Amino acid sequence: MANSTVLTGTRSPGGDEKQTNPQGNGPKRGREGNSARGSDFSELSRRISDAGLLRRRPLYYTVRFTTVGLALAGSVAAFLVLGDSWGQLFVAAALAVVFGQLGLAAHDLAHRQVFSRRRPSEIGGLVVADVLLGMSYGWWMNKHTRHHANPNHENKDPDVAPDIIVWSRSQARRARGPARFIGKHQAALFFPLLTLEGLNLSVSSFKALRSLSMKRPVLEGTLLVAHFAVYFGGLFTLLSPGKALAFIAVHQGLFGLYLGSVFAPNHKGMPMIEEGSEPDFLRRQVLTSRNVDGGVLTDVFMGGLNYQIEHHLFPSMPTPALAKAQVITERYCAELGIPYCRSGLVASHRTALRHLRQVGEPLRAAGR
């Protein structure tokens, strides 16, 4: 594999993934060292720009956000009409999908895919994330920016920082407490744990309000409190306690599962970057990311994040341009001999679960 000296991991396609890696074919730009490689991304950026793929798409986002807004309004209306009924669990399931789409909308706003200017992007992000989702926009944006800068870097990417799940064998060897127990069985527990992700985002948001990195802790704290006052107030006012708790379990559980199913296929099971290694920007983003093949339904379900390689290379690129950028980027990577990974949705989850099982091996071995 190209760049194998700077990347480690357990990516073993086993027929599940398609990799474009024509070693020896095409021009060999960037093979002599990082100084030469520095120009590789510039050339790709020029091709993308010449194709007009970085232009804003106001009509697309108007239609998309209006559709999500109508779905949210419809879910709230159904909730009010049904009253104290177990049929509310169907509303909870529908609302989980709507919340997932709101999360994807907040993501696009944070990357300035919708607006080119910071202020409207920030206002939109605060409304969608804090007010509608109950998640801190400032906290999440800070976390996600660090992920984009160093994807799959064990010490710099917060998305692979050891918590209750370990992402590398070195993390597994250092695991203590609950992480040590869960790490042994994390492949089997991964999807059940995802049902807690929605609640985890909200809890982490409140914790982050005390962080010095938060720019507007008072504003965001007020918006978060307002969200949950309306959320819990509405549930426990209209529903009996048992039905309200069941609604929360179904809504938050499926919401977390939805988000995890969108974000997990993109990097999990791809190579990890070693401390001290400095692959150039193009290779750092391409080699640690995976695209998910599918059709229109996959594009809608994942909000364009199925084109993860192109999204990491051009974070501000509007969602509808990513498919065309994928063709250009894959062809360019083939010219350079850079492995370009694509997989189906189910196969990508299978690879991620296989990776989780492999990195947990030291914990299982220690318990024998």
Side-chain angles (χ1 to χ4, degrees):
M1 179 190 299
N3 237 37
S4 59
T5 58
V6 297
L7 299 170
T8 62
T10 54
R11 183 176 67 182
S12 51
D16 291 339
E17 299 181 344
K18 173 184 177 182
Q19 294 188 63
T20 304
N21 185 14
Q23 294 294 342
N25 296 335
K28 297 187 178 182
R29 289 187 293 262
R31 301 292 181 86
E32 293 77 17
N34 285 339
S35 59
R37 289 175 175 175
S39 63
D40 289 344
F41 177 71
S42 298
E43 170 60 21
L44 174 61
S45 182
R46 182 190 64 77
R47 297 185 188 186
I48 292 293
S49 181
D50 288 348
L53 300 180
L54 297 176
R55 290 184 289 104
R56 294 294 178 270
R57 307 294 177 92
L59 179 60
Y60 165 82
Y61 279 108
T62 299
V63 172
R64 176 177 161 184
F65 286 10
T66 299
T67 301
V68 176
L70 290 173
L72 177 61
S75 298
V76 173
F79 173 78
L80 295 174
V81 169
L82 279 176
D84 191 20
S85 165
W86 285 108
Q88 293 284 13
L89 298 186
F90 292 102
V91 177
L95 198 59
V97 177
V98 174
F99 266 44
Q101 287 293 317
L102 286 171
L104 293 171
H107 170 272
D108 288 7
L109 285 163
H111 281 296
R112 299 193 193 179
Q113 295 176 17
V114 185
F115 306 107
S116 59
R117 293 184 295 121
R118 180 187 62 81
R119 187 159 184 79
S121 298
E122 190 172 66
I123 292 173
L126 288 170
V127 170
V128 175
D130 292 72
V131 177
L132 299 181
L133 283 180
M135 178 188 77
S136 166
Y137 175 76
W139 163 75
W140 182 84
M141 186 173 180
N142 177 277
K143 173 177 177 289
H144 195 62
T145 299
R146 288 184 286 130
H147 157 71
H148 264 263
N150 292 282
N152 273 18
H153 192 296
E154 185 173 332
N155 297 321
K156 297 179 180 179
D157 182 357
D159 287 357
V160 294
D163 190 5
I164 59 173
I165 289 181
V166 294
W167 304 104
S168 69
R169 293 199 172 200
S170 61
Q171 289 180 352
R173 295 186 186 98
R174 298 192 301 269
R176 298 291 182 271
R180 188 169 185 82
F181 171 78
I182 291 175
K184 296 178 182 179
H185 316 286
Q186 60 185 15
L189 293 174
F190 182 66
F191 283 106
L193 287 171
L194 285 182
T195 62
L196 302 175
E197 182 59 22
L199 294 174
N200 177 56
L201 291 174
S202 296
V203 171
S204 297
S205 295
F206 277 105
K207 288 182 177 179
L209 295 175
R210 297 174 295 179
S211 172
L212 295 177
S213 64
M214 287 289 289
K215 295 181 180 179
R216 297 177 178 84
V218 175
L219 173 61
E220 293 213 50
T222 302
L223 296 178
L224 290 173
V225 169
H227 166 87
F228 285 104
V230 173
Y231 182 79
F232 289 122
L235 287 175
F236 285 97
T237 297
L238 194 62
L239 306 181
S240 65
K243 293 186 181 72
L245 291 174
F247 187 102
I248 293 170
V250 172
H251 174 221
Q252 295 294 334
L254 292 181
F255 171 47
L257 193 61
Y258 183 5
L259 284 184
S261 297
V262 168
F263 284 93
N266 302 328
H267 299 282
K268 309 313 179 193
M270 298 300 290
M272 302 281 282
I273 297 181
E274 294 180 347
E275 182 63 36
S277 299
E278 293 296 335
D280 68 292
F281 178 78
L282 177 65
R283 287 162 180 79
R284 182 166 69 247
Q285 304 298 342
V286 174
L287 295 173
T288 60
S289 302
R290 175 195 297 111
N291 277 13
V292 177
D293 289 337
V296 174
L297 290 179
T298 302
D299 289 356
V300 173
F301 174 76
M302 299 189 69
L305 294 183
N306 44 317
Y307 302 102
Q308 188 69 193
I309 294 174
E310 289 68 39
H311 169 61
H312 261 255
L313 290 170
F314 304 96
S316 64
M317 180 181 291
T319 297
L322 291 168
K324 292 183 179 179
Q326 187 268 326
V327 176
I328 296 173
T329 303
E330 184 173 17
R331 184 181 300 129
Y332 184 67
C333 287
E335 292 177 16
L336 297 181
I338 300 174
Y340 184 102
C341 185
R342 295 166 55 186
S343 175
L345 182 61
V346 174
S348 65
H349 279 296
R350 188 182 300 124
T351 300
L353 293 175
R354 183 164 54 241
H355 170 75
L356 289 175
R357 179 169 178 77
Q358 289 174 349
V359 299
E361 175 59 31
L363 294 173
R364 291 192 298 274
R368 289 170 187 166

